[in-house]
Amino acid sequence: YLKQDVLDNKYILISGTPCQIGMFKILLKDYANVLYISVICHGVISEKLTNLYLEQEFGNQKIEKFEYRTKENGWTNPSIKIQTEQLSKVIKSTNSSLMGLFQLNSILRNSCYECQYKGDNHNADIILGDYWGIYDFHREFYDEKGTSVLIINSKRGLEFCKNNKIFDKILYVKSNINNLKIANSSFFKSGVKPFRRYTIAKDIDVLTLKSINDFDSLQEKLKNEQIRMEAIIEEEKEKRIIAEEELQTVYNSKRWKITNKLFNFVGRILHR
């Protein structure tokens, strides 16, 4: 039906993750009446794991609404929101086993670790995402509820924004896309596949997501602490090398040699 709508010259807007856009572009080719909008994607959690999390946390309660990233606690405290027939609950991501494992890259789809649609390979006309770190680049545009980045990725995307006067309807500032290498690296590269990703499928059959997340979080903290300690040791080694080089320079200096001879001479006189 969608392809027929396109052939009937209806104007179509398709939005989704970059890989979904890639699929639609294979199906619909590059028809002029189709506009593609994607998001900067960290990765995708399987529906099975989401359902498992809801079952373990909320039992048989009927889930009426589930938001992965509500901003009720503000942008700097990302949270999920779950609404059932009995309650409406906002949970900080740090207190959610599902989001904890997601942020550790432990439960992404396998294809997400080698995403074909990063950087210059993004193939949507317009790309939307979070402008993490905007406080460092455009402080006046920082908002506790979040600031978005809008990337015009094609001539068609630019024409759409101009024809619909998008820039007249929003507050915006032109920015350097390379800022995202620091602020939102998911635009440029895939998440690193942790070793735990190979075994987590078996663990899920015997452990709760909370137990797995607690274990993985502890491992991550220990790894970060080890990296911190190694960095401190390396810094101390560098300081010692510099100190030894400076001391050797002093020993090799003409002033030191004269001073040393003078002390030796005075020492021999005093011990006569």
Side-chain angles (χ1 to χ4, degrees):
Y1 295 110
L2 178 60
K3 192 166 186 178
Q4 188 58 52
D5 286 342
V6 174
L7 294 174
D8 289 341
N9 210 34
K10 293 181 180 178
Y11 197 79
I12 306 294
L13 187 153
I14 296 175
S15 65
T17 61
C19 56
Q20 289 172 331
I21 298 300
M23 177 200 65
F24 278 113
K25 294 199 92 169
I26 292 172
L27 174 67
L28 301 176
K29 308 301 181 185
D30 199 25
Y31 291 103
N33 55 321
V34 180
L35 182 77
Y36 296 99
I37 297 180
S38 71
V39 294
I40 297 176
C41 182
H42 175 87
V44 180
I45 304 173
S46 76
E47 186 177 354
K48 176 184 176 181
L49 281 179
T50 301
N51 290 335
L52 180 62
Y53 169 76
L54 294 173
E55 179 185 331
Q56 290 177 354
E57 294 293 326
F58 298 94
N60 296 322
Q61 296 183 52
K62 183 180 177 182
I63 306 299
E64 296 183 339
K65 189 175 183 181
F66 181 27
E67 294 181 34
Y68 274 106
R69 293 199 176 181
T70 181
K71 294 178 181 175
E72 290 195 17
N73 288 329
W75 198 30
T76 53
N77 292 297
S79 306
I80 62 174
K81 183 176 181 179
I82 296 155
Q83 191 171 320
T84 71
E85 292 177 326
Q86 289 82 26
L87 57 84
S88 179
K89 191 173 185 180
V90 176
I91 306 170
K92 287 185 179 180
S93 293
T94 51
N95 296 328
S96 165
S97 56
L98 183 73
M99 296 307 292
L101 290 168
F102 171 74
Q103 289 166 348
L104 290 171
N105 292 334
S106 298
I107 54 174
L108 304 184
R109 294 174 186 262
N110 271 316
S111 57
C112 295
Y113 299 109
E114 297 179 359
C115 180
Q116 303 174 39
Y117 303 100
K118 296 294 183 182
D120 293 338
N121 290 330
H122 275 270
N123 56 2
D125 300 302
I126 295 173
I127 304 164
L128 303 174
D130 288 309
Y131 200 147
W132 300 114
I134 193 169
Y135 186 83
D136 297 324
F137 304 111
H138 308 287
R139 189 167 299 185
E140 69 279 13
F141 273 82
Y142 176 82
D143 190 310
E144 181 54 29
K145 290 296 183 180
T147 306
S148 297
V149 59
L150 186 154
I151 301 168
I152 307 298
N153 202 41
S154 73
K155 182 179 179 181
R156 188 178 302 167
L158 181 59
E159 288 175 351
F160 172 84
C161 290
K162 286 183 175 179
N163 293 339
N164 291 276
K165 298 182 178 179
I166 299 298
F167 300 118
D168 295 335
K169 301 172 184 177
I170 60 174
L171 291 174
Y172 73 96
V173 60
K174 290 184 179 180
S175 189
N176 190 330
I177 196 168
N178 287 319
N179 290 348
L180 293 181
K181 289 182 178 179
I182 302 170
N184 196 335
S185 61
S186 292
F187 178 75
F188 292 95
K189 59 184 181 180
S190 303
V192 177
K193 188 175 187 177
F195 182 77
R196 281 284 290 126
R197 180 62 179 77
Y198 297 96
T199 59
I200 203 165
K202 293 181 180 179
D203 291 344
I204 287 169
D205 291 334
V206 293
L207 298 171
T208 64
L209 285 176
K210 184 179 185 307
S211 299
I212 296 171
N213 181 54
D214 289 345
F215 178 74
D216 283 18
S217 297
L218 179 59
Q219 277 196 323
E220 186 71 11
K221 288 178 182 177
L222 291 174
K223 183 180 76 174
N224 290 337
E225 184 62 19
Q226 181 182 358
I227 292 172
R228 189 180 72 85
M229 292 304 297
E230 288 174 353
I232 291 174
I233 292 170
E234 192 63 30
E235 185 180 345
E236 291 301 318
K237 284 182 180 177
E238 291 178 1
K239 287 180 180 178
R240 187 184 68 185
I241 291 171
I242 292 171
E244 289 175 350
E245 290 175 348
E246 290 177 347
L247 190 59
Q248 192 61 45
T249 300
V250 171
Y251 288 157
N252 293 334
S253 68
K254 187 175 182 180
R255 177 179 293 182
W256 171 261
K257 289 176 181 178
I258 294 173
T259 303
N260 195 39
K261 286 181 180 180
L262 181 60
F263 272 112
N264 289 336
F265 177 73
V266 172
R268 285 197 298 270
I269 292 177
L270 292 176
H271 285 86
R272 284 179 178 178

